[in-house]
Amino acid sequence: MGSRASRLLREEEIEEIKKETGFSHSQITRLYSRFTSLDKGENGTLSREDFQRIPELAINPLGDRIINAFFPEGEDQVNFRGFMRTLAHFRPIEDNEKNKNPSATEPLNSRTNKLLFAFRLYDLDRDDKISRDELLQVLRMMVGVNISDEQLGSIADRTIQEADTNGDSCISFNEFIKASFVVNIHICTVVLVLVNI
Amino acid sequence: LRSLGVFIRQAGTLLFICMILILLHGSRGEIPSKPIAATILPSVKPDGGVQAYPEDQKNNLPMFTMNYPRIQIPFEITLWVLLASFAKIGFHVYHKITIWVPESCLLISIGLIVGAIMHSVHEEPPAVLTSNVFFLYMLPLIVLDFVAVFMQVLWFAVVGTLWNSIGIGISLFAICQIPAFGVQDINLQENLLFSAIISAVDPVAVLNVFEDVSVNEQLYIVVFGECLFNDAVTVVLYNMFSFVAEMPVVEPVDVFIGVARFFIVGLGGMAFGILFGFVAAFTTRFTSKVREIEPLFVFMYSYLAYLVAELFAISSIMAIITCALTMKYYVEENVSQRSCTTIRHVIKMLASISETLIFFFLGVVTITTDHEWNWGYILFTLLFAFVWRGLGILVLTQIINPFRTIPFNMKDQFGLAYGGLRGAVSFALAFTLPDTIGRKQLFVTATIAVILFTVFLQGISIRPLIEFINVRRTNRNLETINVEIHGRLMEHTIAGIEDLCGQWSRFYWKDKFMKFNNRILRKILIRDSRAESSIVALYKKLELQNAMEILDTASGDISAAPSIVSLYEEKKSSSKPQKKFLAADLKNMHDILSKNMYKIRERTVAYRGKHALPNDNHTREILIRRHVSIRRSLRPGSFQSSYFSLPAGKSLESTFPAARRSYADDHETLSEVAYPSQRSRFGKPARSSSSKAMIPLRRLGTLEEVPSTDVLNEDSSSTEQGVFRTNSSYSDSHVPRPRRLNSSFDNNNGSADDLRNVHEEPSSPPPGWAAEPRDNTARNPLLRRPQWTPKRK
């Protein structure tokens, strides 16, 4: 691309994104303005640095992983569609969605998809299993420096023990879902203040 | 933003010294000779012991003389302050008390005791706390954490206070009609006046209580902001009603004038504050040679703002808040690090003292003034205060909830209503009542009663009540470790996504303002002004520059902390036999996790303990750790595993011995470019993430939140452009490299060569590594000398 002027979002694109992700019109425009403000290079895509410039993400222990979740396998830029697709996982569930046609494909922000998102934060190598090492890595990120490796190791072991039902010392996605059953996912909707300014 | 709030809080309190100084010189002239020393330090002679110079006996030079009146005033003030401070020490020695009883209660109690003592020896209370003193000196000290202006806060503050005042006033008036209570002589205006006094929620008291109760952040902001803003309302109402109370007839035009007056008061306060803030910022622009007096400017200007606001009878609290806010932002850049620290500490100290004293005095004065007690009136006052506040909150929340993204639920509303404590503000206002009001004493008594009731009863009971209501956490033991960990993971994720989206709606305005700010204001007000990126601001805020120095010089020990702490060798056995976990183990784990897992970032000022300095430790820790990992990811061969995490137990030294040293050479060059001259050794982490090192001295350009372009952005965009085709992803990192003129990077044989090597075999990159190091090296201004011209693709 390379054009310096920031592209305005066309109506058709908005419609497409709306269908795909379920965001409302105003939400999409709002997020687009956020996208462009992050996009320093003004080439319509975001790179990892653009994300890292956000200071709050810098102090988020899982910042790197969250950022990485936006980039599809092996790519280093994400365009607006991809951006929205990832964000769609966290769109608040509207009431009227609950009555939707059950045979329709599962919306992006369903509970399962949210859990999949979380699962992928652990599972770096995308082998659909969380190994002990991967778990340890994430644990180490989330925990202060005062915990010894031994302690962390036991915690990881216990975690796997609780969740692992087929005895392979790894947590598969289904086991993950079962183990996270109590996690209050419905609070895990991003409350985006998407006021139509 | 958090330390900003804390700074504001203390900005108000700094004036205590002024209070003492001015009092010393008797400008108020109300310090009676109060031989309180009699009760406290029996050793000091109460009658003044003025035998300074034995005049008649001999002409010898007196060897030992005592001149009490000379030091009396400052002496007694010091004693009071000391006494109150001892009380504070005392509370914390016995920690359990402070959990259940807010400090304000304890202080009032002590004050009561002392007052009782004094009363029994028929001493006069220190008239230090006349309302003038209060308004002129102590009130500025109470300015507290102030986050940002929310319309909702205003809503609650203004409308809420109005509602309360009018409601209470009218109901009290109705009560007054009942002859049984014998208060028929209080007319409507006086009732309204009184209700205006007691409907003001007091920030000090609220703060004291809320600090221990973990309330919802939003709630906290609202109550808090309400306290601060209703100062404006209260002042207006009070003046209006007191004026009106003396008038026989009230006309509608007066009401309009009152409303207009409110706006003048509120906005005028803010305007003055901003004005003084700018003046202060401008002044500090030139203080580079006189660093030692920089804190003085800060204090003096704040106090000036306050006084001038008082001069014009506009909201002085608003003035001082906005002054401190403005100063915080601009002045902080101009003054030296030491001055900043000094200011912060001094203010903390003063804040502490003043709050202590206020409650202390409340207690003392309670006992020692003449009270007029009227059961009916006072009880009904209490009742109405409570009822009307509750109703008010209910109604107001109903109206405003549709506009909120997170509506206030019943629990929140309860917190809001119950947390409306009255305190010092009401107290002082009551004292200032003109004596023409016949029932002044009654009002004073009633006010004190309300204050004591709210502070004590509500203050003590709010905590268990909130906890009771808050029961939604299941029994911890039933919660599995999985849930705890994954739950926290989700919370972090959510927080991250929220931040990514730029949550608050005012973000839009903030952008606009930041543009204006960067373009104009900063140039005028800041010495070495350059537009600053928020990441850099974050770093400065967390004082991470120093931390990074330590990080470098300490051989990455921070990252190695886990291995230091751990006394065990890390067992690398891949498969462990199934361990049995006892219940005790589990409990242990839960404890460990709950204590040590990083909490999600607080969006606003979280009031962490009354006088604790802001605790950024976790934030710093996270940032430092991530830096190390990102930095390490620049190393070849370890990308995959180390990019995303801190390898448990590894020390930086052991993994990358040689390469690290080479970086050390770069410090001079790195830091020069990376950071303003003050930081001599910003060092490595600057390179590891491009976003942070974006303040080149030579104006390569800076990174801003605002999507404006500048030189550096041009650079970065150009390098970004040809880049993101998967396989040739490394090509970009090598485009700039040959051009790099600085020798520093050449020293860095390890990574340079390795990267080049990796380029030669473009196998699919490890997933995590992808953009990170390449972009780092490419975008790092250090690696780009001014001579390098980016090649546009």
Side-chain angles (χ1 to χ4, degrees):
Chain A
M1 285 202 185
S3 93
R4 313 219 94 230
S6 22
R7 232 164 33 103
L8 288 179
L9 205 53
R10 295 192 310 272
E11 275 304 312
E12 316 91 69
E13 291 182 65
I14 299 186
E15 283 305 313
E16 286 172 35
I17 298 179
K18 201 168 168 184
K19 233 184 303 181
E20 191 182 347
T21 61
F23 280 111
S24 76
H25 194 282
S26 61
Q27 290 172 338
I28 295 177
T29 35
R30 161 74 174 77
L31 285 170
Y32 186 68
S33 74
R34 174 64 167 163
F35 182 85
T36 40
S37 77
L38 286 175
D39 179 14
K40 300 298 180 210
E42 297 212 346
N43 51 3
T45 59
L46 293 180
S47 70
R48 283 195 165 82
E49 280 69 40
D50 292 321
F51 285 106
Q52 283 176 337
R53 255 178 240 124
I54 306 172
E56 291 86 358
L57 270 189
I59 59 175
N60 189 315
L62 299 173
D64 290 326
R65 303 246 174 158
I66 296 175
I67 294 174
N68 197 53
F70 277 86
F71 295 88
E73 190 84 26
E75 288 180 24
D76 308 306
Q77 294 279 344
V78 60
N79 60 11
F80 186 59
R81 296 289 285 270
F83 184 71
M84 292 301 283
R85 226 174 277 129
T86 316
L87 281 184
H89 286 97
F90 298 96
R91 182 172 61 84
I93 299 181
E94 316 277 334
D95 278 332
N96 54 15
E97 280 183 313
K98 297 193 184 137
N99 307 325
K100 276 232 181 88
N101 186 358
S103 69
T105 46
E106 204 169 351
L108 277 172
N109 66 342
S110 71
R111 185 191 160 84
T112 319
N113 278 326
K114 281 192 174 76
L115 283 172
L116 187 60
F117 189 90
F119 187 80
R120 293 221 175 104
L121 288 182
Y122 284 106
D123 185 25
L124 273 188
D125 53 7
R126 300 293 167 93
D127 62 352
D128 286 327
K129 286 206 295 263
I130 303 179
S131 68
R132 182 179 184 270
D133 272 334
E134 288 170 337
L135 187 60
L136 258 181
Q137 282 180 13
V138 173
L139 269 178
R140 181 45 81 188
M141 288 167 88
M142 291 209 292
V143 137
V145 295
N146 291 326
I147 308 247
S148 70
D149 297 326
E150 247 258 342
Q151 292 171 314
L152 215 59
S154 329
I155 294 180
D157 288 329
R158 171 67 188 176
T159 312
I160 295 187
Q161 204 184 64
E162 279 174 359
D164 192 16
T165 47
N166 62 356
D168 60 352
S169 304
C170 289
I171 306 182
S172 72
F173 184 52
N174 287 322
E175 292 164 353
F176 184 76
I177 294 182
K178 276 199 220 92
S180 311
F181 187 66
V182 188
V183 172
N184 208 355
I185 287 281
H186 84 264
I187 65 172
C188 295
T189 55
V190 173
V191 184
L192 305 172
V193 179
L194 300 170
V195 176
N196 194 6
I197 298 177
Chain B
L1 200 55
R2 174 186 324 145
S3 56
L4 181 128
V6 173
F7 181 83
I8 306 301
R9 169 181 188 272
Q10 282 113 35
T13 69
L14 50 82
L15 313 169
F16 187 64
I17 278 198
C18 303
M19 163 190 161
I20 291 191
L21 287 176
I22 299 185
L23 279 176
L24 287 187
H25 297 287
S27 66
R28 302 310 309 169
E30 284 128 351
I31 320 298
S33 68
K34 40 177 174 58
I36 67 164
T39 56
I40 299 172
L41 285 187
S43 53
V44 177
K45 306 280 178 296
D47 59 353
V50 184
Q51 310 307 331
Y53 304 104
E55 36 265 344
D56 42 19
Q57 294 91 339
K58 322 181 217 180
N59 291 336
N60 298 4
L61 201 56
M63 276 202 297
F64 177 69
T65 59
M66 248 183 51
N67 183 2
Y68 186 64
R70 185 172 157 172
I71 59 149
Q72 180 173 14
I73 293 175
F75 185 73
E76 284 163 0
I77 292 176
T78 315
L79 282 182
W80 275 109
V81 176
L82 270 181
L83 180 66
S85 308
F86 286 152
K88 261 175 83 86
I89 297 180
F91 303 151
H92 287 283
V93 165
Y94 190 50
H95 184 62
K96 288 231 177 79
I97 285 193
T98 52
I99 298 184
W100 291 109
V101 180
E103 224 173 85
S104 48
C105 296
L106 291 172
L107 283 169
I108 295 186
S109 322
I110 299 274
L112 286 172
I113 296 174
V114 174
I117 295 176
M118 285 175 45
H119 191 68
S120 62
V121 295
H122 298 293
E123 300 302 347
E124 294 243 343
V128 177
L129 193 67
T130 64
S131 65
N132 281 328
V133 171
F134 182 77
F135 274 113
L136 277 178
Y137 306 123
M138 285 184 139
L139 200 53
L141 311 183
I142 314 177
V143 172
L144 299 166
D145 292 311
F146 170 55
V147 182
V149 180
F150 292 104
M151 285 309 292
Q152 304 154 18
V153 163
L154 276 182
W155 173 254
F156 276 111
V158 176
V159 180
T161 313
L162 273 176
W163 169 280
N164 274 321
S165 311
I166 298 181
I168 297 178
I170 295 185
S171 7
L172 278 178
F173 182 61
I175 293 295
C176 288
Q177 304 312 320
I178 304 177
F181 297 122
V183 284
Q184 266 165 313
D185 52 331
I186 309 180
N187 60 16
L188 181 63
Q189 290 102 320
E190 291 179 348
N191 269 310
L192 283 176
L193 181 60
F194 175 63
S195 64
I197 296 176
I198 61 165
S199 50
V201 178
D202 179 65
V204 182
V206 170
L207 196 66
N208 255 290
V209 162
F210 271 17
E211 65 163 337
D212 281 329
V213 178
S214 56
V215 287
N216 172 356
E217 223 171 75
Q218 276 283 303
L219 203 65
Y220 180 74
I221 300 172
V222 172
V223 176
F224 224 64
E226 185 193 343
C227 299
L228 296 177
F229 284 110
N230 70 18
D231 171 60
V233 182
T234 309
V235 165
V236 173
L237 279 181
Y238 182 79
N239 286 327
M240 199 163 71
F241 286 144
S242 65
F243 191 71
V244 154
E246 299 170 7
M247 276 169 41
V249 171
V250 181
E251 294 169 21
V253 70
D254 294 322
V255 176
F256 281 125
I257 295 182
V259 170
R261 177 139 181 74
F262 161 67
F263 279 108
I264 295 180
V265 162
L267 296 176
M270 284 171 69
F272 269 99
I274 295 181
L275 177 71
F276 275 100
F278 281 158
V279 173
F282 192 66
T283 315
T284 51
R285 188 175 167 189
F286 303 107
T287 57
S288 46
K289 298 285 189 278
V290 281
R291 294 272 178 205
E292 310 80 36
I293 62 171
E294 274 167 351
L296 191 69
F297 283 116
V298 171
F299 298 149
M300 290 301 130
Y301 276 115
S302 316
Y303 196 48
L304 256 180
Y306 182 77
L307 288 177
V308 171
E310 279 288 316
L311 170 68
F312 292 109
I314 55 181
S315 170
S316 37
I317 284 191
M318 303 277 307
I320 211 176
I321 293 175
T322 36
C323 181
L325 255 179
T326 331
M327 278 200 307
K328 165 77 173 177
Y329 183 70
Y330 293 108
V331 169
E332 205 183 27
E333 307 223 5
N334 283 338
V335 301
S336 69
Q337 196 69 11
R338 289 232 177 102
S339 303
C340 269
T341 318
T342 309
I343 296 176
R344 226 175 285 152
H345 279 272
V346 169
I347 288 183
K348 262 253 161 303
M349 178 191 76
L350 297 179
S352 206
I353 299 175
S354 70
E355 282 182 23
T356 308
L357 274 180
I358 286 176
F359 284 110
F360 193 65
F361 278 135
L362 250 181
V364 171
V365 176
T366 305
I367 302 277
T368 54
T369 51
D370 305 318
H371 292 292
E372 185 185 331
W373 188 265
N374 180 310
W375 276 106
Y377 196 74
I378 293 181
L379 284 181
F380 272 104
T381 306
L382 284 174
L383 179 71
F384 286 134
F386 199 67
V387 163
W388 279 100
R389 178 158 178 91
L391 275 181
I393 297 287
L394 208 64
V395 170
L396 294 182
T397 10
Q398 290 312 317
I399 298 181
I400 203 180
N401 260 345
F403 298 103
R404 287 181 57 85
T405 46
I406 315 171
F408 282 131
N409 57 20
M410 287 312 291
K411 189 163 55 75
D412 293 331
Q413 291 174 34
F414 177 75
L416 272 177
Y418 208 66
L421 308 184
R422 277 66 169 178
V425 180
S426 318
F427 183 50
L429 282 175
F431 263 62
T432 358
L433 282 174
D435 288 321
T436 52
I437 298 184
R439 294 294 204 134
K440 176 176 171 182
Q441 278 313 113
L442 174 63
F443 288 151
V444 169
T445 311
T447 311
I448 295 184
V450 170
I451 295 175
L452 288 182
F453 181 82
T454 54
V455 171
F456 275 94
L457 243 82
Q458 287 180 225
I460 297 184
S461 61
I462 194 173
R463 192 195 164 86
L465 276 176
I466 293 270
E467 286 185 4
F468 177 72
I469 295 182
N470 242 337
V471 177
R472 52 177 166 138
R473 199 185 281 274
T474 55
N475 189 349
R476 286 278 300 288
N477 291 332
L478 298 181
E479 215 175 66
T480 62
I481 301 274
N482 264 284
V483 170
E484 196 158 348
I485 296 179
H486 301 323
R488 183 58 59 89
L489 181 104
M490 281 311 284
E491 284 176 15
H492 279 302
T493 312
I494 299 298
I497 300 279
E498 281 182 1
D499 294 324
L500 218 142
C501 294
Q503 203 198 17
W504 301 101
S505 59
R506 67 188 164 96
F507 182 73
Y508 174 72
W509 294 107
K510 187 179 166 203
D511 259 356
K512 284 202 130 63
F513 174 70
M514 291 300 285
K515 263 197 209 144
F516 168 68
N517 183 29
N518 283 331
R519 223 174 317 129
I520 301 181
L521 288 180
R522 290 179 62 101
K523 296 227 166 41
I524 304 178
L525 296 175
I526 297 185
R527 193 178 318 127
D528 265 336
S529 101
R530 42 186 86 88
E532 93 176 346
S533 95
S534 47
I535 274 276
V536 175
L538 174 75
Y539 264 73
K540 287 166 120 176
K541 188 181 80 162
L542 295 180
E543 295 174 18
L544 273 180
Q545 303 88 347
N546 297 329
M548 290 308 170
E549 291 178 35
I550 300 176
L551 186 66
D552 285 321
T553 53
S555 312
D557 271 351
I558 294 181
S559 70
S563 70
I564 291 177
V565 172
S566 151
L567 299 174
Y568 307 88
E569 290 302 304
E570 187 186 347
K571 295 188 190 122
K572 299 268 196 170
S573 58
S574 48
S575 65
K576 283 198 169 128
Q578 274 276 353
K579 269 165 83 167
K580 282 296 166 209
F581 290 99
L582 309 169
D585 287 335
L586 277 191
K587 180 149 192 326
N588 241 352
M589 287 186 193
H590 277 296
D591 280 340
I592 292 176
L593 284 178
S594 69
K595 281 202 197 77
N596 283 287
M597 282 209 284
Y598 291 128
K599 307 230 179 350
I600 55 177
R601 89 296 182 251
E602 290 123 6
R603 179 164 284 290
T604 53
V605 178
Y607 202 64
R608 224 185 270 90
K610 194 147 88 142
H611 302 300
L613 290 171
N615 180 11
D616 289 323
N617 286 339
H618 269 189
T619 319
R620 280 200 226 173
E621 213 175 80
I622 296 176
L623 208 44
I624 292 175
R625 289 172 68 190
R626 285 190 59 203
H627 268 304
V628 174
S629 67
I630 293 174
R631 177 171 67 196
R632 257 197 252 136
S633 70
L634 283 176
R635 312 294 176 184
S638 60
F639 296 125
Q640 184 155 15
S641 58
S642 65
Y643 169 62
F644 281 119
S645 68
L646 227 44
K650 287 226 173 83
S651 79
L652 200 52
E653 213 56 55
S654 62
T655 330
F656 311 113
R660 218 186 154 269
R661 298 278 149 57
S662 58
Y663 268 157
D665 304 338
D666 304 334
H667 279 172
E668 307 326 320
T669 47
L670 287 183
S671 54
E672 252 176 55
V673 183
Y675 234 76
S677 46
Q678 272 172 319
R679 316 284 165 226
S680 59
R681 292 172 62 77
F682 189 78
K684 203 172 313 205
R687 322 172 66 180
S688 56
S689 179
S690 54
S691 52
K692 292 162 199 68
M694 290 310 200
I695 305 195
L697 277 184
R698 273 155 236 142
R699 294 228 167 243
L700 286 183
T702 59
L703 229 53
E704 304 164 3
E705 282 273 306
V706 184
S708 63
T709 56
D710 46 32
V711 176
L712 198 57
N713 286 336
E714 291 171 17
D715 295 344
S716 45
S717 67
S718 70
T719 52
E720 267 173 327
Q721 270 159 33
V723 155
F724 298 98
R725 307 168 296 263
T726 4
N727 285 338
S728 55
S729 49
Y730 302 138
S731 63
D732 169 68
S733 55
H734 305 295
V735 168
R737 188 151 302 146
R739 283 165 229 284
R740 216 166 288 112
L741 304 179
N742 53 340
S743 56
S744 57
F745 210 70
D746 293 335
N747 292 343
N748 199 352
N749 308 324
S751 71
D753 287 334
D754 285 323
L755 280 175
R756 239 171 263 130
N757 289 339
V758 176
H759 174 60
E760 252 88 85
E761 312 115 47
S763 47
S764 67
W769 184 71
E772 201 30 60
R774 175 195 59 250
D775 291 334
N776 283 338
T777 56
R779 199 142 303 118
N780 201 314
L782 314 163
L783 310 176
R784 248 181 312 193
R785 286 311 194 182
Q787 305 93 309
W788 178 56
T789 49
K791 195 152 59 150
R792 301 258 180 176
K793 302 220 170 132

